[in-house]
């Protein structure tokens, strides 16, 4: 079931055939979306992005080589965060 987009209906309450979703997006939102897209592409071409990718691959390798300590560290972190954020009832 597809949800109707508000404003995607004519005066009689019927859906407009072949209406473009993009025509309902305000121009400001479109400009913001374009700016975010440009910034993301610039970030992907930066040295910082490459550094993050290198560190992520090192973490993946460590987890593959040391699965038990990795699971225990994750479990311990989850327990600590759970205790910190636990609300008393």
């Amino acid at each position: 079931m597809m949800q109707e987009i508000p404003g995607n209906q004519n005066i009689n309450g019927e859906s407009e055939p072949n209406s473009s979703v993009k025509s309902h997006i305000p121009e400001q939102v479109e400009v913001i979306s374009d700016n975010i897209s440009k910034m993301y592409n610039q970030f992907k071409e930066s040295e910082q992005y490459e550094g993050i990718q290198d560190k992520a691959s090192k973490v993946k390798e460590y987890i593959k080589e040391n699965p038990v300590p990795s699971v225990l560290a994750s479990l311990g972190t989850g327990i600590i965060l759970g205790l910190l954020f636990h609300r008393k009832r």
Side-chain angles (χ1 to χ4, degrees), residues 25-33:
I25 298 175
E27 186 177 332
Q28 291 175 342
V29 174
E30 201 169 328
V31 169
I32 291 170
S33 174

Side-chain angles (χ1 to χ4, degrees), residues 8-46:
N8 196 21
Q9 297 177 347
N10 61 19
I11 297 172
N12 298 331
E14 299 172 357
S15 294
E16 296 176 2
N18 300 325
S19 65
S20 170
V21 174
K22 193 167 186 163
S23 67
H24 296 290
I25 298 175
E27 186 177 332
Q28 291 175 342
V29 174
E30 201 169 328
V31 169
I32 291 170
S33 174
D34 290 342
N35 287 339
I36 290 173
S37 179
K38 287 176 187 176
M39 289 171 54
Y40 176 71
N41 288 332
Q42 288 174 351
F43 174 68
K44 279 182 67 172
E45 295 172 0
S46 71

Side-chain angles (χ1 to χ4, degrees), residues 76-86:
T77 303
I79 290 172
I80 290 171
L81 289 175
L83 291 173
L84 287 174
F85 293 117
H86 176 71

